[in-house]
């Protein structure tokens, strides 16, 4: 038996066990055979990445829409490559392409056709070319589809297979226990050939949830998953996976069946594409988020969802205590697992991760400040029938235009501090395109679309983008040049390997301080989170037996270990030992 045959035999055994838990023993064998048939069909076409499913200090992830940069009729992916070559040459290792499929709403997350590339992005050939230069993360929007998807059209027409792919609800059903990320009704009315029906719609009436209790739905989405592997995916992001399985009378989030589906997908990866990294997107409190590591048998990477709001709060308040305490409480990720650290994405700054960390009055005070900086707040429905804040809609650059006392002159420095702190933490840093550019709030986008999230989803014309990125007077120029330099410096330090040890040090509320350690490499990260110069006695930080001369990688200055160091507002110091 070859190694490939052995892996497939092991997969059959594990898959049948998981499918038995999902669908019962009578159906499990048949569904397993069908799943094995899909694997056999796609395996010869699976794109084999030469790099193993691991990572190092040079790894990072650019998060972007494929058509966020446009130039006349040319595909967006060509403009993206042009941007990276011009401003971040050889610095980005992986690209998270947000949904590039035809869609009807939510900028891609209401998918009409899971296997097509929309014209403004390009064609599959463009994806293939990108996948040969970068690790590409595909979005698998597996919880729901668009009302314009063929499956849902079949549901409306009462035609198989789509007529069995969705969940009908009596509109009077008690759904108060169901966890909701939105304030819209859970049951969406649909005009069908059988009259008005109500279907389960977790996110919007244009995003209709799929019924995974029907094994045909699971097989259909595993077909899409395998198709993405054949098209060059090195990472696959499981969008909104926490809501996958529905069972009335429960919260319908993080159900055991959902975890079994993620484990099944990990089994598929291990069987035919062990270089592929599964990433779960679960914008929930931290401990719930970590559950998707499983016993090292689910995701290899999870988003650090608590970081964006905690870091924003820290810099807004000029006090690192909360961030320090949180970071000190973090356990290292399990073996062969890591965090995806980020500050901004296509969505807003999620607030659920602050539950149990920040009091409600402090959250409200932060929201008031974000309103002052031009932001909005999206709400969610709660089981008690009331709404509560779910996310802040604002560009991260403008979220940092001031502090609780109002706007000030430190926006660029404060923003660079936020990005550098993020990329110093244990894990892999993710940079949203708009953060690399230092994009302000796109108020015109909100007015044009009527959607709050458009505030941080600006579409750039290449000529406009090139102008701000090359104008030395613009904040975009300053931000991009300095971020590129710091990303380069980070990639040269083994101590920033995602698995390098991390120790957070609590010395002063004005500073966030951490130490990263790898073999023959140590970096102290010192971050002044305030708008005033602060002093730090290095004898309290640096062990007496270590080197007495250090170098700040960022300023390239030598610093003696026995001095009181003056740290400018929002200054970042990466301190490395130079000599004994």
């Amino acid at each position: 038996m070859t190694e490939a045959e052995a892996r497939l035999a092991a997969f059959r055994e594990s898959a049948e066990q998981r499918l038995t838990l999902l669908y019962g023993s009578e159906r499990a064998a048949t569904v397993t055979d069908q799943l094995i048939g899909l694997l056999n069909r796609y395996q010869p076409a699976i794109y084999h990445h030469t790099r193993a499913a691991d990572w190092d200090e040079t790894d990072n992830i650019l998060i972007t829409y494929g058509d966020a940069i446009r130039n006349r009729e040319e595909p967006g992916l060509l403009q993206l490559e042009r941007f990276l070559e011009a401003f971040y040459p050889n610095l980005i290792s992986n690209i998270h392409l947000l949904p590039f499929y035809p869609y009807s709403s939510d900028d891609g997350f209401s998918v009409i056709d899971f296997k097509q590339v929309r014209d403004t992005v390009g064609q599959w050939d463009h994806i293939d070319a990108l996948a040969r230069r970068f690790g590409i993360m595909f979005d698998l929007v597996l919880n729901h589809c668009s009302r314009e998807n063929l499956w849902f059209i079949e549901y409306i027409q009462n035609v198989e297979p789509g007529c069995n792919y969705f969940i009908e609800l009596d509109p009077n059903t008690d759904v108060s226990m169901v966890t909701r990320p939105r304030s819209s009704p859970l049951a969406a009315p649909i005009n069908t050939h059988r009259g008005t029906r109500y279907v389960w719609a977790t996110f919007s009436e244009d995003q209709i949830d799929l019924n995974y209790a029907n094994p045909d739905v699971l097989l259909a989405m595993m077909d899409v998953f395998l198709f993405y592997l054949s098209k060059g995916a090195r990472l696959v992001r499981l969008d909104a996976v926490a809501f996958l399985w529905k069972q009335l009378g429960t919260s319908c989030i993080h159900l055991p069946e959902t975890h079994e589906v993620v484990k099944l997908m990990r089994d598929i990866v291990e069987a035919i594409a062990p270089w592929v990294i599964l990433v779960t997107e679960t914008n929930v409190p931290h401990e719930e988020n970590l559950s998707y590591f499983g016993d090292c048998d689910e995701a290899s990477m999870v988003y650090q969802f608590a970081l964006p709001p905690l870091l924003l709060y820290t810099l807004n308040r000029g006090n690192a205590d909360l961030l320090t305490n949180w970071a000190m409480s973090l356990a290292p990720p399990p073996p062969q697992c890591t965090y995806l650290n980020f500050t901004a994405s296509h969505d807003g700054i999620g607030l659920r991760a602050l539950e149990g960390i920040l009091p409600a009055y402090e959250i409200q005070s932060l929201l008031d400040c974000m309103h002052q900086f031009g932001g909005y707040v999206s709400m969610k429905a709660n089981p008690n029938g009331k709404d509560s804040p779910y996310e802040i809609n604002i560009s991260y650059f403008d979220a940092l235009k001031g502090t609780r006392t109002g706007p000030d002159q430190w926006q660029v420095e404060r923003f660079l501090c936020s990005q550098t702190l993020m990329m110093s933490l244990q894990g892999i840093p993710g940079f949203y395109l708009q953060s690399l550019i230092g994009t302000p709030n796109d108020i015109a986008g909100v007015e044009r679309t009527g959607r709050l999230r458009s505030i941080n989803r600006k579409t750039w014309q290449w000529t406009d983008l090139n102008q701000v990125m090359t104008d030395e007077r613009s904040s975009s120029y300053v931000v991009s040049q300095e971020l590129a330099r710091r990303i380069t410096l980070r990639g040269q330090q083994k101590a920033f390997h995602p698995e390098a040890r991390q120790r957070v040090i609590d010395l002063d509320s004005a500073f966030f301080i951490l130490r990263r350690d790898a073999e023959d490499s140590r970096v102290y990260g010192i971050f002044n989170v305030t708008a005033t110069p602060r002093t730090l006695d290095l004898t309290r930080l640096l062990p007496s037996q270590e080197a007495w001369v250090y170098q700040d990688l960022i300023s390239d200055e030598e610093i003696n270990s026995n001095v009181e160091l003056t740290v400018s507002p929002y200054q970042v110091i990466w301190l490395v030992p130079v000599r004994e």
Side-chain angles (χ1 to χ4, degrees):
M1 181 182 292
T2 66
E3 182 181 349
E5 290 171 337
R7 285 203 304 264
L8 206 58
F11 171 76
R12 177 183 287 276
E13 181 178 353
S14 65
E16 189 158 355
Q17 291 176 356
R18 302 200 192 289
L19 292 167
T20 297
L21 290 171
L22 294 174
Y23 303 115
S25 56
E26 290 186 11
R27 305 184 76 178
T30 301
V31 179
T32 301
D33 287 340
Q34 292 172 294
L35 192 53
I36 293 287
L38 284 175
L39 266 62
N40 288 331
R41 175 152 65 90
Y42 278 105
Q43 187 166 11
I46 297 296
Y47 187 96
H48 193 292
H49 286 272
T50 55
R51 186 171 179 179
D54 58 5
W55 34 67
D56 63 28
E57 60 277 4
T58 66
D59 266 302
N60 50 56
I61 299 175
L62 169 64
I63 306 164
T64 182
Y65 287 99
D67 53 2
I69 307 171
R70 300 187 186 181
N71 185 26
R72 297 185 298 276
E73 301 302 320
E74 293 181 355
L77 290 181
L78 295 183
Q79 311 314 311
L80 178 61
E81 286 195 83
R82 178 187 293 183
F83 168 82
L84 293 175
E85 288 168 3
F87 304 109
Y88 287 88
N90 303 312
L91 292 181
I92 299 299
S93 56
N94 304 281
I95 301 175
H96 172 200
L97 285 180
L98 291 158
F100 49 81
Y101 328 110
Y103 69 91
S104 55
S105 66
D106 199 17
D107 291 327
F109 286 91
S110 184
V111 181
I112 293 174
D113 190 331
F114 289 100
K115 294 186 176 181
Q116 294 297 321
V117 181
R118 64 179 180 271
D119 293 341
T120 54
V121 173
Q123 301 175 358
W124 279 116
D125 287 347
H126 297 111
I127 303 284
D128 179 72
L130 215 60
R132 296 180 187 278
R133 293 186 55 196
F134 306 91
I136 303 298
M137 185 192 297
F138 283 40
D139 252 300
L140 181 55
V141 185
L142 73 172
N143 179 72
H144 50 264
C145 69
S146 165
R147 290 169 69 136
E148 298 179 28
N149 188 286
L150 177 60
W151 294 338
F152 197 68
I153 293 172
E154 290 174 342
Y155 167 79
I156 291 171
Q157 297 174 346
N158 199 28
V159 173
E160 292 187 343
C163 64
N164 301 312
Y165 276 18
F166 304 92
I167 304 169
E168 290 190 353
L169 276 174
D170 184 315
N172 297 315
T173 302
D174 180 6
V175 294
S176 60
M177 291 185 64
V178 177
T179 298
R180 298 295 314 287
R182 300 289 185 273
S183 56
S184 57
L186 181 65
I190 305 294
N191 294 322
T192 77
H193 289 191
R194 296 168 292 139
T196 300
R197 293 289 191 272
Y198 290 82
V199 294
W200 197 297
T202 297
F203 292 93
S204 79
E205 62 179 13
D206 186 44
Q207 294 167 296
I208 312 301
D209 289 47
L210 292 160
N211 181 16
Y212 280 84
N214 177 357
D216 291 340
V217 169
L218 177 76
L219 290 167
M221 291 310 295
M222 293 307 98
D223 177 81
V224 173
F225 176 46
L226 290 162
F227 176 77
Y228 291 168
L229 300 188
S230 75
K231 290 298 184 180
R234 182 175 178 244
L235 306 94
V236 179
R237 175 183 181 270
L238 307 185
D239 177 66
V241 66
F243 302 94
L244 194 72
W245 200 275
K246 281 64 171 187
Q247 184 177 335
L248 286 173
T250 74
S251 64
C252 296
I253 187 171
H254 313 314
L255 295 187
E257 293 86 350
T258 293
H259 284 282
E260 287 301 320
V261 173
V262 178
K263 290 176 182 179
L264 179 66
M265 298 180 74
R266 178 66 177 268
D267 291 342
I268 291 173
V269 162
E270 295 296 332
I272 64 172
W275 52 86
V276 169
I277 298 168
L278 284 186
V279 185
T280 47
E281 187 264 334
T282 52
N283 190 355
V284 293
H286 184 68
E287 291 303 319
E288 297 175 38
N289 190 30
L290 296 186
S291 70
Y292 287 87
F293 282 137
D295 293 322
C296 298
D297 57 356
E298 295 188 42
S300 297
M301 189 184 300
V302 301
Y303 282 78
Q304 194 73 276
F305 273 110
L307 180 60
L310 271 177
L311 184 51
L312 175 61
Y313 173 83
T314 297
L315 293 167
N316 185 270
R317 293 301 189 260
N319 187 307
D321 287 344
L322 194 67
L323 182 65
T324 296
N325 291 337
W326 171 79
M328 291 177 73
S329 73
L330 289 179
Q336 286 78 56
C337 296
T338 196
Y339 297 118
L340 199 171
N341 295 318
F342 72 112
T343 60
S345 72
H346 61 291
D347 288 342
I349 302 168
L351 297 171
R352 282 216 65 202
L354 294 180
E355 292 176 12
I357 298 177
L358 199 61
Y361 72 89
E362 285 280 20
I363 294 176
Q364 186 57 54
S365 179
L366 181 63
L367 298 183
D368 292 342
C369 197
M370 293 303 102
H371 282 302
Q372 184 184 358
F373 297 161
Y376 305 96
V377 177
S378 296
M379 309 297 284
K380 71 177 183 72
N382 297 314
N384 62 8
K386 297 182 179 179
D387 291 348
S388 63
Y390 177 70
E391 69 178 18
I392 306 168
N393 300 113
I394 193 170
S395 85
Y396 214 78
F397 183 66
D398 270 1
L400 294 170
K401 68 167 49 176
T403 66
R404 65 191 304 171
T405 62
D408 59 26
Q409 74 271 37
W410 299 109
Q411 182 175 13
V412 168
E413 291 81 0
R414 191 180 292 113
F415 181 73
L416 287 170
C417 179
S418 76
Q419 301 308 292
T420 313
L421 195 157
M422 176 271 292
M423 70 170 96
S424 302
L425 292 168
Q426 189 174 50
I428 293 177
F431 298 93
Y432 187 41
L433 177 69
Q434 311 296 348
S435 293
L436 289 181
I437 297 168
T439 305
N441 293 331
D442 186 11
I443 301 299
V446 176
E447 294 173 349
R448 184 176 62 255
T449 65
R451 296 191 299 271
L452 300 183
R453 283 180 168 177
S454 296
I455 198 170
N456 197 30
R457 296 180 178 180
K458 182 178 176 64
T459 298
W460 285 91
Q461 294 298 319
W462 171 255
T463 52
D464 296 334
L465 178 58
N466 188 59
Q467 181 177 352
V468 300
M469 294 290 282
T470 54
D471 181 354
E472 295 184 12
R473 299 165 299 176
S474 77
S475 57
S476 293
Y477 175 88
V478 176
V479 165
S480 62
Q481 291 289 315
E482 187 58 21
L483 280 181
R485 192 176 74 87
R486 295 185 187 189
I487 291 170
T488 301
L489 291 171
R490 181 186 185 277
Q492 296 167 352
Q493 299 296 318
K494 293 289 185 184
F496 286 129
H497 189 290
E499 295 171 17
R501 295 182 301 279
Q502 174 173 295
R503 178 187 169 201
V504 178
I505 302 166
D506 185 6
L507 291 183
D508 188 313
S509 63
F511 294 99
F512 179 81
I513 303 173
L514 82 168
R515 191 179 83 189
R516 299 294 309 279
D517 287 286
E519 277 190 44
D520 302 321
S521 180
R522 170 171 291 178
V523 177
Y524 290 90
I526 301 169
F527 306 83
N528 181 355
V529 301
T530 77
T532 58
R534 300 284 181 153
T535 59
L536 181 66
D537 183 355
L538 288 182
T539 61
R540 297 178 60 203
L541 174 64
L542 304 174
S544 58
Q545 68 271 24
E546 279 197 0
W548 61 273
V549 176
Y550 288 75
Q551 179 190 12
D552 173 17
L553 296 174
I554 293 179
S555 69
D556 200 30
E557 294 180 358
E558 286 195 349
I559 299 172
N560 289 335
S561 62
N562 61 348
V563 302
E564 275 207 350
L565 187 63
T566 300
V567 188
S568 300
Y570 306 107
Q571 182 181 352
V572 176
I573 297 173
W574 277 342
L575 212 56
V576 297
V578 176
R579 64 179 183 270
E580 299 297 331

